[in-house]
Structures are given as structure tokens and as C-alpha cells.
Amino acid sequence: MYPPHPVDKFTRLGGRYYYYPRGPGDLARLARTCKLFKNPALNLLWYEQQTVINLIKCLPSHLWEETILEPNRNLIGSTIRIIGPLQPSDWDVSRSYAHRIRSLILDFYCDEDLVPAAQELFEFLGTEFSQDYLCPNLTAIGFRSSCSRESFIRYVSLFLGPKIVDVQLCLPSEDSHLLIDLPIPFPKLQRLYLSSTDNYRGWPLDSDTLSEIVSSLDQIKYLDIDPLDQASIEYLSQLPALETLTLGVPQHWRPNQSLYYHAILSFPRFWPLTNLEIRTPPEAVTAATAHRLYTSLANHVLHSTLQNLTIGVEPERELEMEPPPEDVMADYIVPGNTLALLFCFRILLTYASKYRSTLLLAEATTLHSPSKLSLNALRAFATHCPELNFIAIAFDASTVPLIHDSFESHGSQSSLTCLDVRKSPIIDLDSVATFLSKLFPNLAKIHTFEDSMWSDLERLYPGRWPQSIDRSEYEQYRQWQWVEHLLKFPEDIRRNIVREDSECEDF
């Protein structure tokens, strides 16, 4: 949903110093090291925030209190509230940090503990900053709320400062009308994401509201939006800056009906898009439908500009898909002559192999059953994707293939630095680490399914274990974390490192 952090390394310091942090803790320590490092480190530390709580905690400690919530499968976090009267000077430290924030992402959950606390906090902020902006240098705001009755979307106004060019909103469909009343500077936006939290029910945002918004766009480069009518698509095709377009699926569309690819047919012929994504319903697509769809793409998108093409279900809806019946499975296998319809997109094919830097195959390899891919499958990416630096794919790592002596020098790929293994089973951690380090010698980070949840649990509830959470899933997360740890060391040292597991008690 949200764009990646624009600075993935801590670059130049004081004209000649370079530093590569491993996380926020490193940046905070660096900011305290010397005056030369302070401002660059703090700028990166505060660049993107996913809560306003960090700013509230910069107030004098006797003016606020925090409550840690008991964890469950879907919610981990805390609430904070103001408990004393504030003077203007109490905001001095918070303001100094707020000026450094460029991107703010806020999520509101319909939880009985969170809703009242969030309302109270944002009403307070609205009063304190009624004549000013809390984050005056903010350029990107992301906001997601599934609580229609509280209309949290109105709080976006607190952060719509003069420098906003990137807005990403996900809200209940019944709150669509509120978008028009928000002071969003649509004409100067460069990135816009608008979607309904009720899409899984087939309730997109109001089409008339979306059409009105689209007609006001002028400088847009990236647009991710719910279904549009043909007039809106024709208007977008006239915007010279638009490079990336993502379209949702209208209510009641089905993949094996003609309306499924009608969105493509309504494109002007040879639209010079660079990136195109069309989201589909969570239903299997027949080979015949895929053929019609690819034919439409070839006839309506400019061949010389398209670099990225995505057609499929949103990741969060992948698990809703049901596999087709076994007796008609052949009808769903896309043949080579259908794929050949996309060969006219020469740049797309070049980027897909030689220059592709990110490849996401996670859900495709674990959707309905454990992945049948072995570790050997990764060799294909090492051989054919020399620029690949991130891949998400599930595989069976319980068996580790042998590595020939010549493999390290002739079969390795040095660009890959991050691997998402999802729920890949693993047994021999040392052997897997050895295999991966020889295949991808610069691999440094390994992600797993819901790893952010596990790390939050470890941080917020050290030494305790929620009874509702499966220990086996946590153990698999810990195993891959240990593989990531082993990758830091040469093979001869790695053999002598002993894993030390910490136990958590139930609560």
C-alpha cells in the first residue's frame, strides 16, 4: 500500500563520513555521538512515523500516561492519554522533532480499548493545533480506518499541510462523501491511493465521488484507486505525468465474464503507461479469459513503455480464493501461446528477467498447500535475475541440496540482500545458512510470515507468552531469525556458534 522509505542507507555525513544503520536504535545512538551526526541522524530517525505517540512521549512525562494492551492475534499495542494541562512551551521538544517528519502512516482499529482513547487524543490535538500544523513539513500521509461510525477520516485534516503531495486513504465505503469535504490538495498531488475497507464485501468507494476527485487531478504520477467509469479513464489518459495506474474491480464483476477485461477495453489505444496493475476478484481465471485479457492489453497499452504489469487478487484476499475442481483443472492452465501475447512488451520482458529488482511470489507458492519448491529453485533466480535484490517466495528448506565446489564462484548472485520465506519449513539451520550464503553472498535480511507481530510481542511482552498464539509458528520465526544471524559470519566461524533459545512463560 505504501511506498518504500526513500533512503534505505544512511548516506553522507559531514561531507565525507558514511554510515549504514541496522535500525532506529543505531540512528538514535548516532545522534547522541557528536554534533556533526545529530541532524542527519535525527532526520532519518523521524523521517517516517507510524504513530503520533512518539511525539506525545516527547512531552514532559508527568503530562501523559501509557497503557499497554493485552495482546491477541490481531492487535498488539498501547494507548496514551494526556493527564495534565499543557503550556505552549511543553510542545517545544515535540515540535522540533515533528518538523523532521516527512511521512506519517496512521491505522485506526475498531477495538473497544482503542477507539475512545484515539478519539480523545485526536480531539486534543485538534484543539492544540487549530491554527497550525503538527507536522508542517509532511509530504506524505497514509490513513486507514475501518470504523465508519466514528468517521476517523476527518482527523486527516490535522496533517494536511502545505507540502502534501502523497495521500493514501483507506476508509469505509459509507464515508466516501467525506473525501470531498477534506482540504486535500488534489490538483498538486503526485501520488494518490484511495480504497474501501469494505472491498472484500464488494462495496467499493462511491463512483461519483471518485469521478469528481479524478477530474481534479493535474500532476498525478501514481494512482491506485477503486473502479472508475470510462469518462474518468479517458481523462486520466490525457495527463502527461501519469506513469503508474492501479485499478480495483467493480462490484459484482466476475473473472470469467466479459466485464472482467472491460476496463482494459475502455483504455485509449496505446496508452503510454509505465506500470499497470488490475485487481481481480478472488476467483480462478480460465485460460480463455486470460487469452482475451492479454489480447486487450496488447491492443491498448503502448508496447515501448510498459515495464511492470500485475493482474491478480490483492494480497490480503489471496486466501479467499478456492482452487478450481480437479476435473476442469486443464481449463485453468494458461498455455504458451497466450503468454506469447505479452511478448510485444519488450521492455517488460527485459525488466522481468535481467533488471527486475523485486519479485513477489509469496502467496502464489503457499496459497492452498505447502510449497513444493526446494531450495534448488532459488538457483534459477540467481542465474537469470542478476539485479534481483528482494524476493518473497515460499519453499521447502527441510532438505538442503549439495553445493559443488565450483558453485560459489560460478553460480552465486551478489545483488540479493533481502529474502522473505513466508512459512517455509526448515530443519538444519546451519546447512540452510551455508547454502544461502554461497548462493547469495550479500544476503543480510530474512523475513517470515507475520514477523513484525512476533517482534512486537518480544518487545512489548518480554519473557511472557500469549496462550492464544501457536508456539510452532513462533519457533519457525525464531529458526529463520537464527539463519539470518548466522549469515553475518564466515562459514568456518559459523560452525562454532551455538544457538541459545530463550523460553517464554504463558500468560
Side-chain angles (χ1 to χ4, degrees):
M1 170 178 177
Y2 301 110
H5 194 298
V7 183
D8 59 1
K9 292 182 179 179
F10 194 66
T11 54
R12 200 171 182 89
L13 286 175
R16 60 175 180 172
Y17 297 100
Y18 292 82
Y19 185 73
Y20 303 87
R22 290 172 292 180
D26 279 5
L27 289 172
R29 285 186 288 272
L30 192 65
R32 295 190 292 266
T33 300
C34 71
K35 293 182 179 180
L36 179 65
F37 293 166
K38 180 179 179 180
N39 281 324
L42 287 178
N43 284 339
L44 281 183
L45 182 64
W46 286 91
Y47 186 97
E48 179 179 287
Q49 294 291 304
Q50 298 186 12
T51 177
V52 296
I53 288 180
N54 293 331
L55 289 175
I56 300 299
K57 287 183 176 181
C58 292
L59 296 171
S61 59
H62 66 279
L63 297 177
W64 56 270
E65 68 176 9
E66 183 180 25
T67 302
I68 303 296
L69 301 177
E70 286 298 307
N72 59 50
R73 185 68 175 179
N74 300 313
L75 180 64
I76 300 171
S78 63
T79 62
I80 195 167
R81 68 186 188 94
I82 305 299
I83 58 175
L86 271 67
Q87 302 299 320
S89 59
D90 292 330
W91 284 104
D92 289 349
V93 176
S94 297
R95 284 183 182 274
S96 68
Y97 293 136
H99 278 68
R100 302 176 188 272
I101 300 176
R102 299 296 187 271
S103 176
L104 180 64
I105 301 169
L106 300 175
D107 284 322
F108 288 91
Y109 299 95
C110 290
D111 180 83
E112 61 183 8
D113 295 320
L114 287 181
V115 168
Q119 285 180 316
E120 180 182 341
L121 178 60
F122 279 87
E123 292 292 346
F124 167 78
L125 291 176
T127 302
E128 288 288 309
F129 295 90
S130 59
Q131 305 297 323
D132 197 3
Y133 298 107
L134 177 59
C135 304
N137 293 320
L138 199 67
T139 61
I141 175 70
F143 193 96
R144 176 185 175 90
S145 172
S146 57
C147 303
S148 58
R149 65 184 185 278
E150 285 81 17
S151 298
F152 278 116
I153 192 69
R154 67 183 186 271
Y155 296 126
V156 173
S157 301
L158 295 172
F159 308 99
L160 294 175
K163 298 183 180 182
I164 289 290
V165 294
D166 183 339
V167 173
Q168 305 178 40
L169 303 177
C170 191
L171 64 155
S173 57
E174 62 188 86
D175 283 351
S176 299
H177 64 283
L178 298 176
L179 290 171
I180 301 299
D181 298 327
L182 292 173
I184 300 176
F186 288 113
K188 73 172 189 177
L189 291 185
Q190 297 179 17
R191 294 175 62 94
L192 177 62
Y193 171 97
L194 288 178
S195 186
S196 168
T197 55
D198 301 315
N199 268 338
Y200 70 98
R201 300 176 180 175
W203 301 344
L205 295 177
D206 178 66
S207 58
D208 291 338
T209 300
L210 295 182
S211 297
E212 183 174 349
I213 290 173
V214 166
S215 66
S216 66
L217 299 175
D218 184 33
Q219 303 178 37
I220 198 73
K221 295 181 179 180
Y222 171 101
L223 180 62
D224 187 327
I225 199 165
D226 274 357
L228 295 175
D229 55 30
Q230 186 165 349
S232 296
I233 290 178
E234 290 177 353
Y235 174 80
L236 289 175
S237 68
Q238 301 171 24
L239 298 181
L242 183 62
E243 298 176 352
T244 299
L245 177 63
T246 298
L247 291 177
V249 180
Q251 185 178 2
H252 306 311
W253 274 22
R254 291 296 178 263
N256 295 319
Q257 297 175 351
S258 60
L259 285 177
Y260 171 63
Y261 55 96
H262 184 269
I264 303 294
L265 296 177
S266 63
F267 286 5
R269 286 185 65 84
F270 303 119
W271 194 354
L273 290 171
T274 303
N275 309 291
L276 174 63
E277 177 176 353
I278 297 180
R279 298 198 181 104
T280 65
E283 299 180 14
V285 177
T286 65
T289 297
H291 190 91
R292 294 195 297 268
L293 179 61
Y294 294 172
T295 300
S296 300
L297 281 169
N299 291 335
H300 289 83
V301 180
L302 189 63
H303 301 167
S304 60
T305 60
L306 192 66
Q307 296 180 8
N308 298 281
L309 173 64
T310 303
I311 303 173
V313 182
E314 292 180 272
E316 57 267 28
R317 301 192 67 186
E318 288 272 9
L319 296 179
E320 299 177 31
M321 293 187 65
E322 293 293 336
E326 290 291 338
D327 57 338
V328 294
M329 182 66 74
D331 296 338
Y332 293 82
I333 299 176
V334 178
N337 65 328
T338 295
L339 292 175
L341 294 170
L342 300 179
F343 289 178
C344 59
F345 299 106
R346 296 297 181 184
I347 298 180
L348 172 66
L349 295 178
T350 302
Y351 271 75
S353 56
K354 186 175 182 181
Y355 299 114
R356 170 62 58 214
S357 62
T358 299
L359 189 59
L360 306 177
L361 300 173
E363 305 305 335
T365 51
T366 59
L367 187 55
H368 298 291
S369 60
S371 176
K372 296 181 180 179
L373 295 176
S374 69
L375 276 171
N376 259 331
L378 297 180
R379 291 183 175 180
F381 299 107
T383 302
H384 300 290
C385 303
E387 301 297 323
L388 194 68
N389 57 49
F390 172 70
I391 182 172
I393 185 171
F395 47 84
D396 185 354
S398 58
T399 301
V400 183
L402 296 176
I403 300 178
H404 301 293
D405 294 337
S406 61
F407 179 74
E408 188 171 1
S409 58
H410 298 288
S412 63
Q413 192 261 40
S414 59
S415 297
L416 196 82
T417 59
C418 186
L419 174 66
D420 187 339
V421 301
R422 309 305 283 170
K423 292 185 178 181
S424 298
I426 182 173
I427 297 175
D428 189 340
L429 312 188
D430 294 345
S431 296
V432 170
T434 299
F435 180 89
L436 290 177
S437 65
K438 291 187 175 181
L439 188 62
F440 304 111
N442 290 323
L443 179 62
K445 184 65 180 176
I446 295 180
H447 291 289
T448 59
F449 183 70
E450 292 188 337
D451 54 2
S452 60
M453 182 189 74
W454 301 124
S455 61
D456 284 345
L457 278 171
E458 292 176 332
R459 175 176 55 84
L460 292 172
Y461 311 99
R464 297 184 294 164
W465 186 273
Q467 293 181 345
S468 60
I469 293 180
D470 187 352
R471 284 178 182 264
S472 62
E473 292 187 13
Y474 176 71
E475 172 60 20
Q476 189 175 83
Y477 158 77
R478 290 291 304 275
Q479 289 175 323
W480 282 107
Q481 287 293 294
W482 183 252
V483 172
E484 176 185 297
H485 176 70
L486 292 176
L487 293 174
K488 302 174 184 178
F489 304 96
E491 184 178 1
D492 55 341
I493 298 178
R494 192 184 305 141
R495 296 192 191 100
N496 299 318
I497 300 177
V498 179
R499 182 185 177 199
E500 295 180 1
D501 290 325
S502 59
E503 292 295 331
C504 295
E505 62 180 277
D506 293 329
F507 72 99

